[in-house]
Amino acid sequence: VETLLRLELVQYRPLLLAVMQHFTTAELRKTLRTMVAWSVRGLIVGGIGGGTYERAYCEAAVKVRDGKIKNTKALLGELTAIIPTDPEFRSAFERARVTKARIARYLLMTLERQKCGESEPELVPNADESQVNLEHVLPRNAKSSSWPAFPGELVSTWKDRIGNLVLLQVGPNAAIGNKDWTVKRPILKASKLALTKHVASNVDWTPTEIEARQKELAALAVKAWPRGI
């Protein structure tokens, strides 16, 4: 959470300060959760930044200080034009690639909590790297002999897709390394994490399976990071 908020801090700072000073404690909590969702949506869709967005945040901050905006619902109404919609977010998530491990761990842990029915799934720290690793099902250095469905440049195309990423305990992660699907599948199946375990239900692991899984994760993402509270 803190990592994602930091990504948008420059744009959000005036608005955050105004909200912290003028919103009730309950509304402040709602707004902070909403800003986390906006950060994720902006990150996936292509970034919420630049002059247009900074002006919108500053104008909203002025209205908060003047008492014209008093709650999260009104704030969303003010900023609705610049916050990615559900269809925009879902479509972008279905195609997204994540190269930063700490961001990928946060996204996957939140989606795991959403899958398990947590009431506030997005409010989690990055998964502890000393306990849970980020695993690329299709390895980053995959050999074509072990992964024939990904010849040539296809490894680069698919390795960082969110649909190819899972969380896995450190021990099992170290054991499977760059092994092929027949070795990885039973280890993933033994995971206690629902989203990781579900990957093992696939007989094979090809671009088709990655794309299908990413669409499932995108549907969860819309619920995990809602546009409004």
Side-chain angles (χ1 to χ4, degrees), residues 59-134:
E59 290 171 2
V62 170
K63 291 185 179 181
V64 170
R65 289 195 295 269
D66 290 345
K68 296 178 181 178
I69 294 177
K70 298 181 179 180
N71 54 49
T72 308
K73 183 177 180 179
L75 183 60
L76 176 61
E78 176 71 18
L79 298 174
T80 188
I82 65 171
I83 307 302
T85 63
D86 286 356
E88 290 170 338
F89 179 46
R90 182 168 182 166
S91 177
F93 204 98
E94 289 177 354
R95 306 185 306 273
R97 299 169 70 251
V98 179
T99 58
K100 294 183 179 179
R102 68 182 185 278
I103 298 298
R105 282 196 300 273
Y106 167 73
L107 295 176
L108 290 170
M109 184 59 72
T110 301
L111 292 171
E112 176 73 21
R113 288 165 62 97
Q114 176 66 41
K115 179 71 173 179
C116 295
E118 295 283 345
S119 60
E120 296 183 352
E122 75 280 24
L123 297 182
V124 295
N126 290 340
D128 185 352
E129 192 173 1
S130 67
Q131 300 295 324
V132 179
N133 273 354
L134 180 68

Side-chain angles (χ1 to χ4, degrees), residues 191-211:
S191 175
K192 296 179 180 179
L193 297 172
L195 294 180
T196 301
K197 188 181 184 71
H198 182 65
V199 169
S201 65
N202 293 287
V203 175
D204 202 354
W205 195 249
T206 72
T208 299
E209 282 74 30
I210 293 176
E211 190 167 35

Side-chain angles (χ1 to χ4, degrees), residues 17-92:
L17 291 174
V19 167
M20 291 173 69
Q21 292 171 355
H22 297 280
F23 277 17
T24 65
T25 300
E27 284 301 324
L28 174 59
R29 179 177 175 82
K30 289 180 184 179
T31 299
L32 291 177
R33 288 185 62 198
T34 301
M35 286 183 174
V36 170
W38 293 350
S39 293
V40 174
R41 287 179 176 236
L43 179 71
I44 296 298
V45 172
I48 298 178
T52 300
Y53 298 97
E54 288 189 42
R55 284 193 297 274
Y57 294 142
C58 288
E59 290 171 2
V62 170
K63 291 185 179 181
V64 170
R65 289 195 295 269
D66 290 345
K68 296 178 181 178
I69 294 177
K70 298 181 179 180
N71 54 49
T72 308
K73 183 177 180 179
L75 183 60
L76 176 61
E78 176 71 18
L79 298 174
T80 188
I82 65 171
I83 307 302
T85 63
D86 286 356
E88 290 170 338
F89 179 46
R90 182 168 182 166
S91 177

Side-chain angles (χ1 to χ4, degrees), residues 122-202:
E122 75 280 24
L123 297 182
V124 295
N126 290 340
D128 185 352
E129 192 173 1
S130 67
Q131 300 295 324
V132 179
N133 273 354
L134 180 68
E135 167 68 14
H136 292 68
V137 181
L138 167 69
R140 286 171 288 184
N141 299 312
K143 297 179 179 179
S144 57
S145 58
S146 299
W147 297 87
F150 300 90
E153 296 299 317
L154 280 187
V155 172
S156 296
T157 300
W158 292 96
K159 64 183 177 65
D160 293 318
R161 287 281 296 266
I162 295 176
N164 185 55
L165 307 177
V166 299
L167 296 175
L168 196 63
Q169 294 88 340
V170 172
N173 178 268
I176 61 179
N178 290 331
K179 301 295 194 313
D180 62 29
W181 176 242
T182 60
V183 174
K184 288 193 171 190
R185 187 183 181 193
I187 293 176
L188 298 178
K189 186 176 182 180
S191 175
K192 296 179 180 179
L193 297 172
L195 294 180
T196 301
K197 188 181 184 71
H198 182 65
V199 169
S201 65
N202 293 287

